[in-house]
Amino acid sequence: MSELSQYLNSKGIRPTAVRILVLRALQQQQQSAVSMADLEEVLQTVDRSSVFRTLNLFLEHHVVHQVEDGTGQTKYALCEEKCRCGARHEHLLSDFHVHFYCEHCRRTICLPDIAIPNVAMPEGFTLSAANFVLKGTCAACQSRVAQSKNKFD
Ligand SMILES: [Zn+2]
Ligand SMILES: [Zn+2]
């Protein structure tokens, strides 16, 4: 059995050809969150509704988490081993990590090592999701900018 099938099994998902294709496509994003449209472009052989159903299944089983980065498109990123988005029913803010939206390359990147700071919820409020998005220039774009500056010095 392939590594990807094993991974899906370990998450309680029966591996199918489509699920493995979607998982592989997500893995190739290297911590970047992608939209449905991005995935469809990569997975041209898979029909739209299958991609959609697979993403929802992955969400339920905490293979991916959702990111609302302010672009108006819901994005999906693979949960890392330390991702605790599915750890419990009653979420704490610190179960969610921070995301970074790069204004240059327009990628939305998971920062799994940075938990959202805990805020005491007012009484009677329960938390189901949290989106903490920082915007700016990612490391890759930063070094590109620095390089092009050097060229003209
Ligand atoms: Zn960037
Ligand atoms: Zn993330």
Side-chain angles (χ1 to χ4, degrees), residues 42-100:
V42 185
L43 298 164
Q44 293 198 347
T45 53
V46 184
D47 77 283
R48 206 188 144 83
S49 60
S50 305
V51 176
F52 185 72
R53 275 199 310 270
T54 304
L55 278 176
N56 278 321
L57 184 75
F58 282 6
L59 269 177
E60 268 169 46
H61 290 258
H62 304 292
V63 171
V64 295
H65 53 278
Q66 252 173 347
V67 189
E68 307 288 346
D69 60 4
T71 59
Q73 274 186 312
T74 300
K75 298 200 179 154
Y76 303 87
L78 221 50
C79 292
E80 290 216 1
E81 216 161 311
K82 59 188 150 206
C83 190
R84 295 196 293 157
C85 69
R88 60 187 106 203
H89 288 291
E90 207 177 311
H91 284 294
L92 295 176
L93 279 167
S94 55
D95 287 337
F96 300 96
H97 55 259
V98 165
H99 291 96
F100 190 93

Side-chain angles (χ1 to χ4, degrees), residues 23 28 30 38 58 70 78 88 90 98 110 138 145 149:
L23 180 62
Q28 284 161 355
Q30 296 161 338
D38 295 331
F58 282 6
L78 221 50
R88 60 187 106 203
E90 207 177 311
V98 165
C110 287
C138 74
V145 170
K149 260 194 199 139

